[in-house]
Structure formats: C-alpha cells, structure tokens
Amino acid sequence: MSNSSRYTGLIDKYRDHLPVHDDTRIISLGEGNTPLIRLSNVPRMIGKDVDIYVKYEGLNPTGSFKDRGMTMAVTKAVEEGSKAIICASTGNTSAAAAAYAARAGITAFVLIPEGKIAMGKLAQTMMYGAVILQIRGNFDEGMQLVKEVAAEAPVTIVNSINPYRLQGQKTAAFEIVEELGAAPDYHCLPVGNAGNITAHWMGYSESHKDGVSNNLPKMVGYQAAGAAPFMRGKMVDDPETIATAIRIGHPQSWDKAWNVQKESGGWFDELQDSEILEAQKLLAQSEGVFCEPASAASLGGAIRDVKSGKIPEGSKIVCTLTGNGLKDPDTAISQCSNASMSTIDATLDEVKKSILDNLS
Ligand code: AN7
C-alpha cells in the first residue's frame, strides 16, 4: 500500500472487511466514495422536519451501485482463474460486468430482455465490448438460463447470487456510517432482486458489531407496483414498469430480504409508475440531482411515508439513488420535452423575449 491519499477503490479502502488477500490482484475502476447529499428543498416542500440524504450511487464509474459488487465479483473470478463471466440483467449489471471484464481482460456474456433496457445501459455494454445476448424473454427468464448454463459452461455468474457481489455492495453502508457518525434511522432503497437492501443491512450490522456505530436503521424497500412480489407475498410472472431496472418478478434474494425486513423492523411498499416519475422530476428540479427512474422509488416512497407520519418527524433518512439519470435519456426526455424546450429564430429579439417571458 502506498501512503498517498489517492482514492483507489473500495476494496483497497475496506480490505480488512472483505474477502481478499494481500496479494490479490484487485480489478478496480475507483468505485465507491460516492456523495451523500443532504436535501435542502424537498424537506421544506413537504413541510416536515426530517433530515433526508441521498446517496448518489449514480456517480460510480459505470453510473450505478453495481460497480461496488462487480469490483469484488470480478476480482474473485480472476483470482480463481475464470476467463469469462456471465449475468442476466435489466441493464446496470450488464454495464458493470462489461466494464470490469474489460478492465480484467476477460470476456463478459450478458443476457438482456430484448427492448426492455434503457438506452444508456445498452450503449455502455456494447462499447465495453461484452457479448450481448438479447433474449425474447424477461430478466427472470434470463436469470434462470444463466444458472443453467453456468452449470455446463466455463463461466462465472456475477449476478448478486454470487456472494462476493453483496460483500462489495455492503461498503455503501460503511461510507454512510463514516459520514454521519452513525447509521441513519431509516434507509430507503428501490428493490428488484433485493440484493442491495440485503448488502446494506450486512454493512450496517457489521459496523454495529464492530462498535463503529451504536445504532441500526430500519430498512425500507420500495418496488414498482407492476413488479412488486414483496407486496404480493409471492413471485410475479409478468412484471411491468417504466422503471426497467427493477422490472423483476422473481427476486433472487427473497428469503434474505424478508429477514432484513424482520430484523430491522422496516417494511416494503410499492409505487405507481407515475409516482416514481414524479419523484425523479422533483429531485432533479428542486435539488439538481438526476437519477434514473428506478432509483427515484426510494425517495418517492420516503416522501410518502414522511407525509403520512409512518416515518416520524425528527428522523434521519438515507435514500439510495442506485443509478444515474443519464442511463435512461428516453424516459427523461419524454417527460420533459413540451414544457421546457422551444425552437426560436437565432435573433437577439427572440432570445430576449424568451428570457422576459420565462421570468415574468
Ligand atoms: C438502478 O442490472 O437487477 O434489489 O440486472 O439497476 O439489488 O436488485 C438492477 C437492479 C435498483 C435493484 N436500482 O437492486 C440489473 C439489476 C437500479 C438497478 C435495482 C437495480 P436489487
């Protein structure tokens, strides 16, 4: 280890808490160390005395929290001699897998649901050079195929059923505890496969056990109403939502996430697509933070629960913004175009008129 203060990624920083050896070759892109932004306008707008922070995971190297898990999964795959990794994905996992495989010099195979991943994620995955298999099926069917093929072909699965993924992702909780000096009262996340909510609980629990924090948060998971198996109490076969990242009906961490809910005293809830998009826009336009639709489920849910009093005043709340807004430009533009853009002649008069019109 050098004694410079250069940040070299989460494995290097938290190696004492992660399953790596001194001589492990670390595959990193400088992931982690993401901003924890304290919201100033949203709490005022909802008229409640709460402290809301957003953990902006969209500022990871490939634009989502998946990088935290992928640095670990690919580091361990390479250490174990693997020459190829594989995943099913709603988009972000495939982008992360493709990038870390490129960094490691191995091959990434990704199964994605045809026509159902956001444009930015597809662009990344193509550019990083993954072998992309678009399937005529959804994420859950892709996940099943990945499990079956990995039993018969020389590929390492890097979905969150790979235990190293959750190990890497738990470091987000370490960062939050470090910054706040304690765990928050509530930690809200969007839930798809439920790997991330499980990983955060692992991280908070370890911090607590090690005496770094002396409290634990209630973990709250929000799903899209069309893809909400935790609300239905059973798997959903035809998940549908505009938040394609969490268009998942058969969560892989089902039992683990129910344990998190019980142990932490938290809950699950669901949001309509319209509520998700409203929260995404509110965050962008009142705080200057652009996240992808799925990510906004955490804030949208938290706002609703604060308004209703389910989350009491005086609470400290962290919402994970799992992915960057640039991942899904189509959804963003289709929500905004009419209101915020007009075409004018290239004349001083026209520009001046527009300014005066908009400020009046
Ligand atoms: C932005 O990329 O499952 O509950 O294949 O991309 O840990 O699954 C993405 C999941 C939330 C849900 N927000 O996290 C994939 C994939 C965003 C995401 C989730 C995902 P989990």
Side-chain angles (χ1 to χ4, degrees), residues 70-248:
M70 207 54 75
T71 184
M72 269 306 308
V74 174
T75 290
K76 295 306 281 188
V78 168
E79 185 172 67
E80 289 159 11
S82 180
K83 296 276 181 283
I85 58 175
I86 190 166
C87 64
S89 181
T90 58
N92 280 326
T93 300
S94 65
Y100 285 82
R103 183 79 165 161
I106 62 175
T107 304
F109 296 95
V110 308
L111 274 69
I112 55 172
E114 183 187 23
K116 293 289 187 179
I117 85 166
M119 200 51 77
K121 303 173 190 182
L122 185 61
Q124 291 178 286
T125 308
M126 294 173 89
M127 183 54 91
Y128 292 132
V131 179
I132 301 174
L133 308 170
Q134 288 205 85
I135 60 164
R136 295 184 197 95
N138 62 25
F139 167 85
D140 302 305
E141 292 163 308
M143 189 67 243
Q144 184 56 36
L145 287 167
V146 162
K147 288 180 184 170
E148 288 171 19
V149 80
E152 296 179 16
V155 288
T156 302
I157 300 179
V158 295
N159 282 103
S160 55
I161 58 171
N162 177 326
Y164 299 123
R165 278 278 309 277
L166 301 193
Q167 287 292 318
Q169 285 170 216
K170 77 183 178 186
T171 61
F174 294 166
E175 291 176 13
I176 291 164
V177 167
E178 261 174 55
E179 273 198 60
L180 298 180
D185 301 310
Y186 296 85
H187 189 124
C188 305
L189 301 101
V191 167
N193 277 303
N196 210 24
I197 195 169
T198 303
H200 277 73
W201 182 244
M202 282 171 52
Y204 284 122
S205 299
E206 285 181 31
S207 283
H208 188 242
K209 192 160 57 71
D210 295 346
V212 181
S213 68
N214 47 30
N215 63 323
L216 286 165
K218 290 185 171 29
M219 303 298 296
V220 185
Y222 296 106
Q223 301 212 281
F230 285 99
M231 297 305 293
R232 306 293 162 261
K234 61 176 169 44
M235 301 299 167
V236 169
D237 284 335
D238 288 302
E240 202 49 83
T241 168
I242 192 150
T244 51
I246 50 172
R247 188 173 169 272
I248 294 167

